[in-house]
Amino acid sequence: MTTLLVLTNLPDREAAGKLARELVDRRLAACVNILGDCTSVYRWQGQVEETAEVPMLIKTTAAAYPALQQAIGALHPYELPEIIAVPLAQGLPAYLDWVAAETQPSS
């Protein structure tokens, strides 16, 4: 099973915490790390913007990714949220097995 690291940014810690809990509660993510505040500089609608954001690292599987992407899109406050999935080439096998087990629908 392919394990993915999904990245997104939220506007504040409260929104990040709410999204993280929802993804784990729905078993779409095994674990979500909410990182420290950062500054993002980007072009949006023809203007260069600079915004404080809270990055998140989401551990999931390729099988759970479509539903995870849909949930982030539905729950995210941004019009166009950053959602990037990176496949993990290697990792501690027991940890990767745990991610797979925690993203299976409960029976």
Side-chain angles (χ1 to χ4, degrees):
M1 177 162 302
T2 302
T3 305
L4 301 177
L5 178 64
V6 179
L7 306 146
T8 193
N9 291 312
L10 276 287
D12 56 54
R13 297 193 76 69
E14 181 180 346
K18 182 178 177 183
L19 178 60
R21 283 186 298 279
E22 190 67 30
L23 296 176
V24 173
D25 282 347
R26 293 186 190 185
R27 300 184 72 92
L28 300 175
C31 175
V32 178
N33 300 114
I34 301 170
L35 303 180
D37 297 352
C38 73
T39 301
S40 295
V41 179
Y42 55 95
R43 183 174 304 279
W44 179 248
Q45 299 179 342
Q47 300 291 323
V48 175
E49 303 284 340
E50 186 170 318
T51 305
E53 294 186 297
V54 177
M56 297 173 61
L57 305 177
I58 303 162
K59 277 71 82 172
T60 192
T61 61
Y65 179 77
L68 177 123
Q69 179 180 296
Q70 183 178 23
I72 293 172
L75 299 169
H76 204 290
Y78 292 169
E79 179 182 342
L80 179 62
E82 173 186 16
I83 305 173
I84 299 172
V86 180
L88 300 181
Q90 295 184 22
L92 180 67
Y95 182 82
L96 301 180
D97 290 345
W98 173 78
V99 171
E102 292 304 315
T103 56
Q104 294 296 315
S106 53
S107 328

